[in-house]
Amino acid sequence: MVGITLGIESTAHTAAVGIISPDGTILADEKSIYTPEKGSGIHPREAGRHHAEALPKLITDALLSANLSSSDISLVSFARGPGLGPCLRTGATAARSFGHKLNIPIIGVNHCVAHLEIGLLEGATDPVLLYVSGANTQVIAYSNGRFRVFGETLDIGLGNGLDKFGREVGLEFPGGPKIEKLSEGPNLINLPYSVKGMDMSFSGLITSSLNKFKSGQKLENVCYSLQETAFAMSCEVAERALAHTGKNELVLGGGVACNSRLREMAETMAKERNATCFVPERSLCVDNGVMIAWLGSVMMAGDYQLSEIDNQVDQKFRTDMVEVSWR
Ligand code: AMP
Ligand code: MG
C-alpha cells in the first residue's frame, strides 16, 4: 500500500515539489521558476543551478504547507525525463538524497505521461492528451500497453515558439501570456497553417508572424492571428486522435494550456463531437511536482516493479518508451 508521495519536478525552467495522498488529495504544490536573462533563452546549466538552490527550500516549504514531517512520506518520485541534462540531474540528486535519508523507495517517472495522468485526478478515465508546453507539443493517448504519440511538432514546441516571437517583438519571458493579453481580433491575418498528417510544424508560423509585424501589421492583430492559427492546428490533430482512437475524453496539459482561447477552442471541439474536455486548473497545467508525485503513486499502487533504471535520468525519455504496468 502506497502512502503519501512527494514528487520533484525539474525538467526545464520550473523546480517544483508536490505532495499527494494515495486518494489524490493534493497536500502541497510549491514552485520556483528560473527566468533567463532579458533577451536570451533558457540556459540549461544556469537553470540547473537555480534548481539546486531552490529545491531544498521547496521541499521544506512543501512539508510545512502540508503540515507533515519528512517521516510521513513513504515514496519519493522525480521526473527522469525528457528534459535538460543539468536540470534533470539536480532533481534526481534531490530525490535520491531525500529517499536515501528516509530509506524509502525512489521512482523516476516520465514527465509527459505525468501531464496525462493528472487528467485522471480531474475525472478522466482514458483520455487523449493535448500537451502543449514550452519544449513539447504532443498528442498522446494510451493504446495497447503504451502511451502512444499520435501527433507531435516536427520542429519547436509551441510555447518556445510563442516565447521566441515575444522576445523578438520586445515582450519579456515568458511571451505566451503576454501574447494572450495583447491578442485582439477579429481580423485574421493569413499565416502558414502546417499540419502534416498528424504532425505539426510551428517554426514557419513564428517566422511569418514576425515578418508580418516587421512589415507594419499591428502587434495585437498578429498576436491574435498567431494564436488562432497555432491553436486551430493543435486542436485539429487532437480531434483526429479522438476520432482514430474512438476515445471521448480530452485533457489539456502544459503551460500553453493556461491560455483561455485554447481552452475555449478545445472545449468547443470536444462538445461538437460529444466528448468531454477536462482542463486542469492552471497550477496543474504548468510543470508541477503534484503530477510527478501522482504518477509515482499510481505506478507503485499498480505494482510497478522498480529496477536500476528508475533511478537514472534520460534526456530523451520519450512518452512511448514507458512500459505501462499500472493500467
Ligand atoms: P511549461 O513548459 O509546461 O512549464 O509551460 C511554459 C510555456 O507555457 C511557456 O512557453 C509559456 O510562454 C507558455 N504559457 C504560459 N501561459 C500561457 C498562456 N496564457 N498562453 C500561452 N502560452 C502560455
Ligand atoms: Mg511540461
Side-chain angles (χ1 to χ4, degrees), residues 8-310:
I8 298 177
E9 159 60 32
S10 73
T11 56
H13 35 58
T14 304
V17 175
I19 302 180
I20 203 158
S21 66
D23 66 357
T25 308
I26 297 168
L27 304 173
D29 180 13
E30 299 290 327
K31 300 184 183 85
S32 170
I33 298 172
Y34 156 83
T35 324
E37 272 177 40
K38 223 176 163 186
S40 67
I42 183 167
H43 188 304
R45 228 174 30 235
E46 291 300 316
R49 194 169 303 154
H50 163 270
H51 298 351
E53 276 167 24
L55 280 171
K57 183 164 184 318
L58 289 169
I59 292 176
T60 311
D61 289 351
L63 288 168
L64 267 174
S65 92
N67 205 8
L68 295 171
S69 73
S70 48
S71 59
D72 295 316
I73 306 295
S74 64
L75 173 69
V76 56
S77 176
F78 71 97
R80 272 186 64 203
L84 304 167
C87 301
L88 292 173
R89 287 192 288 276
T90 307
T93 304
R96 282 184 213 122
S97 64
F98 187 81
H100 289 321
K101 198 169 91 195
L102 294 168
N103 200 18
I104 55 175
I106 304 161
I107 182 170
V109 305
N110 182 287
H111 174 92
C112 306
V113 172
H115 274 291
L116 184 142
E117 288 284 321
I118 199 78
L120 274 65
L121 261 191
E122 303 288 316
T125 55
D126 184 18
V128 167
L129 169 72
L130 173 56
Y131 174 38
V132 265
S133 73
N136 301 292
T137 301
Q138 292 187 330
V139 174
I140 305 168
Y142 178 77
S143 173
N144 280 325
R146 298 230 173 196
F147 290 100
R148 317 271 169 186
V149 178
F150 283 87
E152 65 188 316
T153 177
L154 296 171
D155 41 48
I156 49 173
L158 178 51
N160 285 355
L162 295 173
D163 295 340
K164 179 169 192 284
F165 174 82
R167 197 162 57 235
E168 308 258 331
V169 302
L171 307 173
E172 261 176 54
F173 178 88
K178 281 127 208 152
I179 292 167
E180 172 170 25
K181 279 217 183 74
L182 284 168
S183 165
E184 195 182 301
N187 295 328
L188 190 68
I189 303 169
N190 199 13
L191 294 170
Y193 182 102
S194 330
V195 172
K196 303 172 186 196
M198 289 292 281
D199 295 322
M200 300 153 263
S201 158
F202 293 109
S203 67
L205 170 62
I206 299 301
T207 306
S208 179
S209 303
L210 275 171
N211 289 340
K212 296 286 180 194
F213 172 67
K214 285 179 190 155
S215 69
Q217 299 271 10
K218 251 180 83 187
L219 181 58
E220 288 79 357
N221 199 199
V222 180
C223 289
Y224 169 77
S225 309
L226 169 55
Q227 284 204 156
E228 291 298 302
T229 309
F231 298 166
M233 285 163 54
S234 314
C235 287
E236 180 190 328
V237 174
E239 176 165 28
R240 209 156 330 117
L242 285 166
H244 282 326
T245 57
K247 297 188 197 289
N248 57 11
E249 295 173 340
L250 178 68
V251 167
L252 296 189
V256 184
C258 291
N259 188 290
S260 303
R261 178 61 182 135
L262 176 62
R263 290 170 173 241
E264 185 188 8
M265 238 190 234
E267 268 159 4
T268 307
M269 178 270 277
K271 201 166 160 207
E272 281 175 0
R273 46 179 307 115
N274 286 326
T276 313
C277 184
F278 296 88
V279 190
E281 54 178 279
R282 288 179 167 80
S283 63
L284 297 180
C285 280
V286 297
D287 287 350
N288 64 86
V290 172
M291 67 179 187
I292 303 300
W294 173 242
L295 178 55
S297 170
V298 168
M299 285 170 75
M300 291 305 277
D303 286 333
Y304 181 81
Q305 294 302 311
L306 282 174
S307 72
E308 207 35 41
I309 206 158
D310 297 298

